[in-house]
Amino acid sequence: MLHTFVALVEDKPGVLSRVSLLFRRLNVNIYSLVVGRSERAGTSRMTIVAEASATAGHRIAASLYKLENVTSVDDVGAQANVTRELALIKVAATPQTRSHIFELVEVFRARIVDLATESLMIELTGVESKIEGLIQVLEESGDQVLEVARTGRMVMRRGRHGSRVLEAMRVPGMVNGEPGDEHEAEVLEPDVTGEHRFGE
Amino acid sequence: MSSSNELPNPMQDWQMGRGAQAAPPAPRHSHQDVETAVQTDSTIELTGAEIVWATLEGEGVREVFGYPGGAILPVYDALRKFPIRHILVRHEQGATHMADGYARASGRVGVALATSGPGATNLVTGLATAMLDSIPIVCITGQVSSKVLGSDAFQEVDITGVTLPVTKHNYLVTRADEIAPVLREAFAIAQSGRPGPVLVDITKDAQQAVAPFNFKAAAPRPRRPHPMLRAEGSAVADAAELLRAAKRPVILSGHGVIKAGATEAMLTLAERMQIPVATTLLGLGGFPASHPLALGMMGMHGESWVNDAIQKADLLIACGMRFDDRVTGTLASYAPHAKKIHIEIDPSEINKNVRADVALIGDLGEVLELLLPHLSGASAAGESAWLREINQSKGESAVRDIRNLPDLGHLYAAHVMHDLWRATGGNAIVATDVGQHQMWEAQYYRHEQPRTLITSGGLGTMGFALPAGIGAKVACPDREVWVIAGDGGFQMTACELSTIAQEHLDINIAIVNNGYLGMVRQWQEFFYDKNYASSPILSPDFVKLAEAHGIPGATVRARGEVDAALALARETRGPFLINFLVEKEESVYPMIPAGAALHEMIRRPASAGPDPMLESPDDV
């Protein structure tokens, strides 16, 4: 199955190789890996999607947390969350075929971001299935997909789980006052299907 | 960074000492100035090289093991100002094993020093050894100047890249002002949580540059939160309930008991609940071997009654151990009737090999402190049916015990171990190598105290014993230290005899010499139709080799000579080497073949005639 881990890591040279080395050592293939800045200075946020057995989630999360540059790890797979991926798709298009591509773009709530004589570029944001859906429809309607660039999955927990941000912003009373605040979730359950969060 | 667009000139830098041309003249501070600055918490200008030593001194380091070379020379140049003893090794691998043995014997962080390139790559085996056994060591390497990093400069190797998988963490330091905070953090990481080796690679220009040094201000920030168990956690209550309900419990006592200093708490747990205690190889000494509840070593060459007890148990309490494959046999049939409580500091070990019913994550001492109050009302009634059953099987199985066998002129390694145990009262620090002698030592030398067995368990590093024994002796100069090695492993690091001689270290060395790579030969005998491919090994006359280093020695051929030789070694001031010429084709019994279950052990075959190794009930 696909596991999705969100890791907050120190923004330093070599951190990415430490993280990727861990997956290599476990012989786990990384499906996608997104790194960017987080809400905190000096901290990057990684979203790692990897193919591994259902029981491997705990061990991968725990091993990630063992890396000294990793501040927190969250196996978000089964949690309520928002998932997004950005894709740029270049499609062969002549003045004759453009109009039906525009229609498709409208239906998928995508945007045209570049138009040339022989092609156009579509920007699309959404979950993977939406992106794959547009590509499939384009191909089935005879439009040649010339190039695809995808960012890979980015994930954020819904609702009150954003307390990490609040904590970082030092909003009082939001973290410790809450019943069942996320510190409760730190107690590691040995249950392999359970939630695996470390740190924070 | 320089604003110049000129390409770096490696030729300028690799010439020893000339890289300093651009650096300002180093301020001349005496050691007293540094001491005063540290005591008064004030800042002092030092070179990076001086900061290395000042930080080590601040961390309480009194001894380091190392080997100089071009890229680390500034650090060596600054050593004379600091009251730190440097032990010159003969090979950098030895420096890491010495730091390792130092840490295992004392619980303090061991420090090794090496130059860039080949000096640094020679550390890799020692780092991996320390990594697999979770030993806190800090290795400092010199690196080529930051201006030429990545240019294949002379003696340049990407050692932080090379050692990524065999260190707990590592650093590349390119600025003098980073040295103190990084080194202090390295010490913190090496010791915290599950300990491990940390490597700090410092470029030569960072060693030569001048930076303000303030020991206190360089303190590492607080460690990351550890997913530590809480007192109110229901897991503790669950564990207590399992413990109360168990009819056939066994405690598995691992290396974590020694690291956490939890021997007392383990004794309390075992005695209060009357639970027998099985020990891993690295856990030997964590629970006193003479204790009535001590079963002995488990696993591949463990005692059969120990493995049988584990297979029959209804509850295993795993304390600071990780269910390594040498301990479990095939996992499919491991302890099939037992629920498992796993007390472990590293969350990634939970459910790795064996599924835990209750996992208690944290420092073993702290977890037991939480757990024991839940068991305060437990009855410690006399011998339970379970203990009686184990003790009976122990009685039967103990027939393999050769300890009281008559001397029929043969010399068996097991005899040597037993006699050494008797002679030293089980109180010496023993550093063993890897192979048959390691298993015999584990079987016949009964360790009563923690930190008395220094052995490479996880990586199984041949050549470990001699340098590790040196490290142990440097850490504990008042303790009796014995190095036990086979004729094969000893030759891997025999160069360190010269280190012993130069440092006048009072270490006794026992070579168990059977003319074979014994454990390899044993596997070839059992599993490869006695095809002894490349396992017979020729050795020099070890006593003459010792003499060449100015170290006295003796050769022992029969059991009758063992006691006298041991006494001579122990009486001799300074090092002494004994070459024990033991039975050539003897095997370690019992043994679990690879892929077999824990209770399917190969036992010593009965032979015709009065074999001195023959098992019979009269031997007990």
Side-chain angles (χ1 to χ4, degrees), chain B residues 77-253:
Chain B
D77 186 51
L79 171 59
R80 61 198 146 96
K81 293 187 186 175
F82 295 85
I84 291 179
R85 177 181 176 195
H86 180 271
I87 288 107
L88 177 68
V89 303
R90 295 302 179 270
H91 185 289
E92 288 89 347
Q93 181 188 346
T96 49
H97 292 329
M98 287 178 208
D100 182 318
Y102 181 97
R104 289 184 206 238
S106 67
R108 305 193 297 270
V109 177
V111 180
L113 205 56
T115 189
S116 64
T121 53
N122 279 346
L123 302 176
V124 170
T125 302
L127 286 167
T129 306
M131 186 71 179
L132 275 252
D133 290 348
S134 308
I135 304 300
I137 64 172
V138 170
C139 293
I140 300 169
T141 47
Q143 179 58 282
V144 298
S145 172
S146 65
K147 294 187 287 295
V148 295
L149 270 179
S151 71
D152 288 347
F154 178 64
Q155 291 198 330
E156 181 189 2
V157 76
D158 171 18
I159 197 62
T160 44
V162 168
T163 58
L164 265 184
V166 293
T167 51
K168 187 174 172 193
H169 196 56
N170 63 24
Y171 300 88
L172 170 62
V173 180
T174 55
R175 287 157 44 134
D177 61 355
E178 290 173 348
I179 292 175
V182 163
L183 267 179
R184 292 206 63 183
E185 194 170 89
F187 272 78
I189 289 172
Q191 300 171 83
S192 66
R194 180 176 180 173
V198 181
L199 179 132
V200 181
D201 194 27
I202 308 175
T203 59
K204 194 169 180 182
D205 53 338
Q207 299 167 35
Q208 289 165 329
V210 174
F213 170 72
N214 185 319
F215 184 75
K216 212 170 179 183
R221 64 206 152 86
R223 306 295 308 134
R224 295 171 305 161
H226 194 271
M228 172 70 190
L229 180 92
R230 289 147 176 256
E232 63 271 29
S234 63
V236 177
D238 293 347
E241 202 168 304
L242 285 179
L243 274 160
R244 284 171 195 281
K247 295 275 178 285
R248 308 158 75 83
V250 175
I251 291 174
L252 310 179
S253 175

Side-chain angles (χ1 to χ4, degrees), chain A residues 32 34 47 81-87 124-128 130-131 151-156 158:
Chain A
S32 75
V34 184
T47 309
N81 57 51
V82 175
T83 303
R84 285 293 178 273
E85 181 171 359
L86 172 70
L124 175 60
T125 312
V127 295
E128 285 105 330
K130 183 178 167 186
I131 293 167
T151 58
R153 188 190 293 178
M154 285 206 299
V155 177
M156 190 175 282
R158 286 184 184 276

